[in-house]
Every structure is written in structure tokens, then in C-alpha cells.
Amino acid sequence: MTARVPLHDRTSAPIDSKAVLDQIQGAFGATPNMFRAVANSPAALTSMWAAFGALGHGRIPAVLGEKIAVAVADRNRCEYCLAAHTALGKKAGVSGHDMAEAQAGRAADAKTAAALGFALKLVEQRGRIADAEVQALRTAGFDDGEIVEILAHVALNLFTNYVSVAFNVPVDFPGVKLLAAA
């Protein structure tokens, strides 16, 4: 697979991308290909990295964020993000079984299941949801701030999915099979 844009490292990236690439390298111990593709635009890279950082310090736990990411990635048929977030979820302590369930939009606990269902409805309906969808999250135990964060996770994952699919970014995480097309 050949990427449709250059995959930059610190030596080839635009000068304004280099400091952010250094931060990513420090956080991961490597620079994942998806970030290397986005490094073509310093503004896009800075925006994406800042969004990851902000949501990483949000109220939605990292484990739920990773589960949302794999559900959205599978729905968008993004092999890169599915592989990356499955690995990150496992690193955060989620079992392989629970990550596979999340990939399918399922979870054993009702609160996580509600968040995954909402995330997938956002993707499928392009954000056009009913009042009842938001109310269902409140009923499941999420407050309005957490509901907005769930949407922010979905939006960030749409960005990363589109980057990875549109630019044919080579997967540099252990592969995970997409579910059968819905």
C-alpha cells in the first residue's frame, strides 16, 4: 500500500510540524503513520494533536474513548484506526473480547452500550439525531458535558478515519479485521 501523501518524519516535515512530531514521538515512542501523513499540514497536525490532548484530559475515560474509536473506525471501514485504537485500548487494559464487542457497537454494561449506540447513530445519521437520542444518554448516566465529549470523540475519529482512508495510510499497528459490511 502506498500512501497518497508523503509520510513525513522530523527531517522531512514542514518546519512548523517538527515540534508536534517530537511530542507525538515522545508520547508513543514512535511516530505513527497517520500523524506522519497529517504532518504535511502544520495546522492540521497541531489541531489533531491538540484535540487528542484535550480529550485525553476530559471526563470521558480513555477506555470509553478507545471503544468509541473502534466502533466508529469499523463503521467507516478504516483499517488503520481500527488497528491503532484496538492496540491503544488493550494497552489501557481493555480485553481483546471487549474491544471486539465495542468494534461491533456492543458492550456488557448499559452505560457504555448507550455511548457506543449514540456514537454510531451520529456517524450513520451524519449528526442528525433526535431529542430521544440525547435523552437516552442522560438516562444512561451521562451529563451534558460528557455527551458533548462523546460527540467530540466521534468528530475527532471521523477526522482520523478520513485521513487514513482517503490518503491510503499504511497500517503500522497489529492488524484487526473489519466486520462484514453492514
Side-chain angles (χ1 to χ4, degrees):
M1 173 186 320
T2 302
R4 294 183 178 119
V5 295
L7 300 179
H8 288 291
D9 60 23
R10 191 178 197 302
T11 61
S12 66
I15 193 160
D16 290 341
S17 290
K18 292 180 182 192
V20 179
L21 287 174
D22 287 345
Q23 292 171 24
I24 293 164
Q25 174 75 29
F28 287 98
T31 305
N33 284 340
M34 192 253 327
F35 292 107
R36 295 176 64 207
V38 178
N40 283 280
S41 166
L45 183 64
T46 299
S47 172
M48 180 184 283
W49 188 240
F52 275 114
L55 291 175
H57 291 97
R59 293 182 42 228
I60 296 297
V63 166
L64 179 55
E66 298 304 338
K67 288 179 178 182
I68 290 168
V70 296
V72 171
D74 194 81
R75 195 57 47 102
N76 284 321
R77 315 245 355 114
C78 180
E79 294 177 68
Y80 188 95
C81 293
L82 178 59
H85 289 286
T86 297
L88 292 169
K90 289 178 181 176
K91 185 176 178 182
V94 182
S95 72
H97 171 78
D98 286 349
M99 288 306 290
E101 285 293 290
Q103 179 184 346
R106 298 186 297 260
D109 72 282
K111 191 171 182 180
T112 300
L116 294 175
F118 181 76
L120 292 175
K121 284 180 184 174
L122 284 169
V123 172
E124 293 162 359
Q125 298 172 14
R126 294 184 173 94
R128 290 176 179 82
I129 55 169
D131 293 344
E133 304 300 338
V134 175
Q135 188 54 48
L137 283 178
R138 288 183 185 123
T139 300
F142 291 101
D143 65 29
D144 291 339
E146 292 168 320
I147 293 168
V148 172
E149 278 188 33
I150 291 169
L151 187 139
H153 277 274
V154 171
L156 177 56
N157 282 285
L158 289 173
F159 180 23
T160 63
N161 290 180
Y162 289 178
V163 164
S164 300
V165 172
F167 297 143
N168 206 34
V169 176
V171 178
D172 53 353
F173 289 88
V176 177
K177 275 189 84 164
L178 293 165
L179 299 177

